[in-house]
Amino acid sequence: MTASVAWPALRRNLVAILRGIKPEEIEVTVDVLIEAGFEAIEVPLNSPDPFVSIEKARKRAPANVLIGAGTVLEVAQVDRLNDVGGNLLVTPNVEPDVIRRAVSHGMVAMPGVFTPTEALLAAKCGAAALKFFPASVLGPSGIAAIKAILPPHLPLGAVGGVSDANFADYWNVGVRAFGLGSSLYKPGDDASIIAERALKSVRAYDALLA
């Protein structure tokens, strides 16, 4: 089993997924997300000039905030992410070489899984956390069934069809991290709208901790 970089002790395990964001929008968006209480921000690589945005975000955010890339499919992309200072890697799938390269760079790796086979392979390759995707298809009951055979220390996340409206459903089966895409950010959204959604998500998460 490959050694892993552990998922950090964040106050809230909320990952902002900024799919489609442009470099000129990233700084103000990062500002409002951090102000709301987010400590993990992901720019999917199918966004415009993603590495430019990631580099800007990394320079903008405090050191304790995870900044990285999503939809990472190739080892070369992991190296490029490292070059611009990213320390969070999120994938939609399980590609062992990608996960291992991320770990070798000291990155927090959160690969996407859907089946027990994928989940166990990701854990073996050094995943810091697992991203069940698309969570809306598996549902809480599907994730709960797979969780039974996973290493108990491994944090579980839900992404895809997840929002503040259904955090509790997943929380009740042991999910502790949530990736928020279109429920939080859509390309072209005004910063005030993003801030409002971010605060709503933070309040919903905090309610689970109460």
Side-chain angles (χ1 to χ4, degrees), residues 130-179:
L130 300 180
K131 164 188 141 181
F132 281 99
F133 172 80
S136 59
V137 178
L138 272 171
S141 60
I143 295 174
I146 296 172
K147 179 178 183 291
I149 53 91
L150 297 177
H153 67 278
L154 196 60
L156 305 183
V159 180
V162 177
S163 73
D164 57 273
N166 58 13
F167 284 170
D169 296 337
Y170 292 96
W171 188 272
N172 290 337
V173 299
V175 171
R176 292 295 179 265
F178 302 98

Side-chain angles (χ1 to χ4, degrees), residues 44-124:
L45 293 187
N46 52 3
S47 304
D49 297 315
F51 291 108
V52 175
S53 292
I54 293 166
E55 187 168 24
K56 283 187 171 187
R58 181 67 280 167
K59 291 176 178 177
R60 192 80 169 184
N64 66 299
V65 175
L66 293 173
I67 299 290
T71 319
V72 181
L73 302 174
E74 301 173 4
V75 168
Q77 294 171 332
V78 185
D79 293 338
R80 182 78 188 280
L81 176 60
N82 183 64
D83 290 342
V84 297
N87 61 347
L88 172 65
L89 174 128
V90 184
T91 73
N93 64 336
V94 178
E95 179 52 63
D97 289 343
V98 166
I99 300 170
R100 293 187 183 113
R101 183 62 65 92
V103 173
S104 76
H105 284 308
M107 295 176 186
V108 175
M110 189 181 198
V113 302
F114 191 77
T115 67
T117 299
E118 292 171 342
L120 289 169
L121 177 59
K124 185 177 181 180

Side-chain angles (χ1 to χ4, degrees), residues 21 25-33 35-36 184-186 188-199:
I21 198 165
E25 301 170 313
I26 190 70
E27 291 174 330
V28 66
T29 304
V30 166
D31 287 349
V32 299
L33 288 170
E35 185 175 350
L184 178 67
Y185 169 83
K186 298 183 184 69
D189 278 346
D190 184 80
S192 62
I193 295 173
I194 301 167
E196 181 181 334
R197 294 176 185 150
L199 285 168

